[in-house]
Amino acid sequence: MLKLAVVRPLLAGALAAAGVVAGANMALAETTYIRGNDGDPETLDQHKTSTVAEAHLFRDLYEGLVINDSKADVIPGAAESWEVSDDGLTYTFKLRDDATWSNGDTVTAEDFVFSFQRIMTPETGAKYANILFPIKNAEKINKGEMEPTELGARAIDEKTLEITLEQPTPYFIELLTHQTGLPVHKASVEEHGSDFVTPENMVTNGAYTLVSFTPGDKIVMEKNPEFRESDSAAIDRIEYLPIEDRATCVRRFEAGEVHSCSDLPTEQITSLKERLGDQVRIAPYLGTYYFALNTEKEALKDPKVRQALAMVIDREFLAEEIWAGAMLPAYSLVPPGIGNYEGGGATVEWAEMSPLDREDQAIALMEEAGYGPDNPLTLEISYNNSENHKNTSTAIADMWKPLGVNVTFNVRDLSAHYATLRDTSDYEVARAGWIGDYSDPQNFLFLVESDNTGFNYAKYKNPEYDALMDQAAAEGDLEKRAEILRQAETVFLRDMPFVPLLFYSSLSLVSPKLQGWEDNIRNVHPTRFMSLSE
């Protein structure tokens, strides 16, 4: 760090003399937004996506029936209006007459029917298809029990789309803001297959089009001239930079090489606030940071072990010392303040116990399970490359030592880490995080349903839990539904397949040149609603 601090001013002076300072380049391209992102996308197929880093990209490339604006409010997107039947089962969307694909084709109701059928088709391999299971027959189609044509989505005419649900779903409109509800261009998918995502083949219906994608370097987008509100999009070009090392993004931000960073190294927050003031943005965020415990591994099959590992962790220390007060201690899976959860969620029974009493009880549980300093347990913690995750994992490894737990570490980049969690069982303890796709407890509790193969990283299988989630899905009374979901969360906390650690805050750096960035609980910032100034 000291070496960089000494060299950077000298290097900047040399570059300035040569007339090629990065800041000067940015000044020349006044409408180019240089945007730091958490990492490279694993996919640019919206039906196979799952990460926040990918969501930022899709939000600029495509437009769903509804979208989030700069404040995360739900507003009309490709659909200008919609109606809901009295029984809450049928949604009828009227698409905009001027909704157009980037190649000039008209966006039609059939495009959305094709897209919803595609994500449910088992051969697509959509890990996140279950987010759309509220649509009639969606789950049966995804499991190969029905044909895609039997999905509850049909085009009444070119501009009228009807969606029928299995049961009333109070969060359905907000759910459609997620990237899995985005349309694909049917002709491009049929012609190019999986290659429809390449820059030369991609056809989008959002404010921007894909120009290039160089892994490890940048993703370039340019304004889509066919987009109906293209003239009102003030930023002409976006360069997304995959910067997994948060400190690197900070350095580039301070050098004037990026306009925003999507995350920050927590150990620098205090000094960043002193240096950069209100350019440091910290806001409440609807998300939970947790460790997944792979219940297929022998030692982690025992709920006593899982409970002990969870119990001994000092979350207040993590929140204040590791995350510099930018996170809140979590003793439940569902974050506070979420919608449709009247009375609040469940909490672990030991949340109010003193740290010493919790440690004693955790040691006793480990002894019952046959582990301790005389018979140690070795566990591997996997996490994606970030100093924040490294510091958290290292601290927890120290907290586990009194239990007789020895820890090794496995570090991967963002896309490889999550691919491992979704597609293999080659891990024991894995760092993960979940950001709410919509403000409803179901969006957190569904993660460990036994058939959620894409996100049930713990491989947790509990018929009691699944039955409660099914019961909640069929309950139309929001108060009764909240009580059922609370029962499900109580079962979760008893079995502890995930160890909730912290509730998120979003951490960003935002240049004063970037106008229109609104802090919000979803941390969504569509480029089309922002502008750049001198």
Side-chain angles (χ1 to χ4, degrees):
M1 292 296 293
L2 179 61
K3 183 177 180 181
L4 287 174
V6 172
V7 171
R8 193 183 305 113
L10 298 176
L11 178 60
L15 291 175
V20 291
V21 177
N25 285 338
M26 289 174 58
L28 292 174
E30 293 178 351
T31 58
T32 296
Y33 174 15
I34 312 298
R35 185 167 184 165
N37 204 11
D38 291 353
D40 271 328
E42 183 185 347
T43 178
L44 287 178
D45 182 339
Q46 52 267 59
H47 293 164
K48 298 182 180 181
T49 180
S50 62
T51 69
V52 171
E54 292 162 351
H56 295 320
L57 303 171
F58 287 116
R59 200 170 286 118
D60 284 338
L61 291 169
Y62 292 94
E63 183 177 59
L65 295 166
V66 296
I67 64 171
N68 289 122
D69 65 9
S70 58
K71 296 181 180 180
D73 292 333
V74 179
I75 63 172
E80 63 183 10
S81 63
W82 56 90
E83 296 179 353
V84 186
S85 62
D86 291 340
D87 61 6
L89 294 177
T90 303
Y91 288 69
T92 304
F93 296 88
K94 178 65 176 176
L95 271 60
R96 299 178 187 273
D97 289 334
D98 55 357
T100 308
W101 291 99
S102 57
N103 68 346
D105 290 352
T106 297
V107 176
T108 68
E110 183 57 39
D111 290 327
F112 282 94
V113 172
F114 173 80
S115 299
F116 287 133
Q117 289 179 354
R118 179 178 183 267
I119 194 172
M120 289 306 151
T121 301
E123 289 74 19
T124 300
K127 302 293 186 182
Y128 214 162
N130 55 4
I131 198 173
L132 295 173
F133 279 1
I135 299 176
K136 189 172 181 62
N137 296 333
E139 183 172 5
K140 292 178 181 177
I141 293 167
N142 190 243
K143 292 179 177 179
E145 298 170 3
M146 297 182 74
E147 293 299 316
T149 53
E150 297 179 85
L151 185 69
R154 69 185 184 100
I156 295 177
D157 57 42
E158 186 179 69
K159 290 293 182 177
T160 308
L161 172 69
E162 181 184 272
I163 298 178
T164 304
L165 306 184
E166 290 282 359
Q167 60 268 325
T169 305
Y171 52 86
F172 183 66
I173 288 295
E174 189 171 354
L175 180 154
L176 291 175
T177 63
H178 189 258
Q179 58 258 44
T180 48
L182 297 173
V184 293
H185 185 252
K186 181 179 179 180
S188 298
V189 173
E190 292 178 339
E191 179 180 356
H192 302 293
S194 60
D195 288 336
F196 84 92
V197 300
T198 62
E200 63 271 20
N201 296 332
M202 182 181 285
V203 178
T204 69
N205 74 322
Y208 295 88
T209 59
L210 181 64
V211 175
S212 64
F213 174 17
T214 307
D217 182 20
K218 62 185 174 183
I219 291 175
V220 179
M221 302 179 191
E222 290 182 352
K223 195 158 62 170
N224 174 11
E226 297 293 335
F227 185 63
R228 67 175 188 283
E229 296 182 1
S230 179
D231 291 343
S232 66
I235 293 174
D236 297 312
R237 179 183 172 94
I238 317 165
E239 294 184 4
Y240 276 95
L241 308 185
I243 308 176
E244 294 191 32
D245 181 359
R246 275 56 172 168
T248 297
C249 196
V250 169
R251 289 195 294 272
R252 298 191 66 172
F253 181 89
E254 293 191 279
E257 297 173 357
V258 298
H259 293 108
S260 66
C261 293
S262 59
D263 201 359
L264 303 178
T266 54
E267 68 271 16
Q268 293 189 28
I269 286 178
T270 300
S271 63
L272 285 172
K273 287 179 179 178
E274 292 173 354
R275 297 199 308 273
L276 300 174
D278 59 9
Q279 295 178 73
V280 179
R281 302 291 190 93
I282 302 176
Y285 198 12
L286 192 66
T288 304
Y289 185 106
Y290 64 91
F291 273 8
L293 307 179
N294 188 344
T295 60
E296 291 184 348
K297 302 302 181 180
E298 190 60 37
L300 297 175
K301 288 179 181 179
D302 191 336
K304 293 177 182 177
V305 172
R306 301 198 300 267
Q307 196 68 229
L309 293 173
M311 189 179 296
V312 79
I313 295 171
D314 186 342
R315 290 157 177 79
E316 283 71 21
F317 177 86
L318 296 180
E320 293 300 324
E321 301 299 326
I322 303 298
W323 290 86
M327 303 273 245
L328 296 173
Y331 293 93
S332 61
L333 178 61
V334 181
I338 201 164
N340 301 325
Y341 213 8
E342 187 167 341
T347 304
V348 292
E349 296 178 350
W350 38 263
E352 300 300 323
M353 290 175 60
S354 71
L356 288 177
D357 288 343
R358 277 167 40 190
E359 182 176 299
D360 288 343
Q361 190 167 329
I363 291 172
L365 286 172
M366 290 294 284
E367 288 177 350
E368 289 180 36
Y371 299 103
D374 295 333
N375 185 31
L377 171 64
T378 298
L379 292 173
E380 180 184 81
I381 297 177
S382 299
Y383 60 89
N384 55 294
N385 189 28
S386 160
E387 58 271 41
N388 296 344
H389 306 325
K390 176 184 178 181
N391 294 340
T392 301
S393 299
T394 301
I396 289 175
D398 286 339
M399 295 173 191
W400 283 350
K401 285 181 179 178
L403 304 182
V405 176
N406 300 320
V407 172
T408 61
F409 300 99
N410 191 326
V411 187
R412 300 179 176 91
D413 64 28
L414 180 73
S415 59
H417 176 70
Y418 277 105
T420 298
L421 300 194
R422 283 195 307 273
D423 302 332
T424 78
S425 291
D426 188 24
Y427 55 91
E428 292 177 327
V429 180
R431 173 267 153 191
W434 186 257
I435 305 303
D437 302 308
Y438 42 90
S439 187
D440 189 275
Q442 183 273 348
N443 189 230
F444 287 82
L445 296 171
F446 92 119
L447 292 172
V448 288
E449 291 180 1
S450 60
D451 61 354
N452 190 348
T453 56
F455 298 100
N456 185 358
Y457 305 143
K459 317 296 183 184
Y460 177 64
K461 295 179 176 63
N462 184 335
E464 178 189 6
Y465 185 87
D466 292 343
L468 286 168
M469 293 301 293
D470 289 342
Q471 185 181 348
E475 178 56 65
D477 184 294
L478 286 178
E479 192 170 328
K480 293 179 180 178
R481 176 177 178 269
E483 177 54 35
I484 298 167
L485 290 172
R486 192 159 33 249
Q487 292 175 37
E489 189 172 17
T490 300
V491 172
F492 166 90
L493 294 171
R494 179 197 72 198
D495 292 352
M496 203 61 73
F498 293 170
V499 178
L501 298 171
L502 301 160
F503 294 127
Y504 275 103
S505 295
S506 60
L507 308 174
S508 308
L509 280 179
V510 181
S511 168
K513 295 180 180 180
L514 187 62
Q515 305 296 312
W517 179 292
E518 299 277 355
D519 294 328
N520 59 73
I521 197 168
R522 292 281 310 283
N523 196 30
V524 297
H525 306 285
T527 302
R528 61 181 278 203
F529 298 121
M530 293 189 279
S531 61
L532 283 169
S533 62
E534 282 296 318

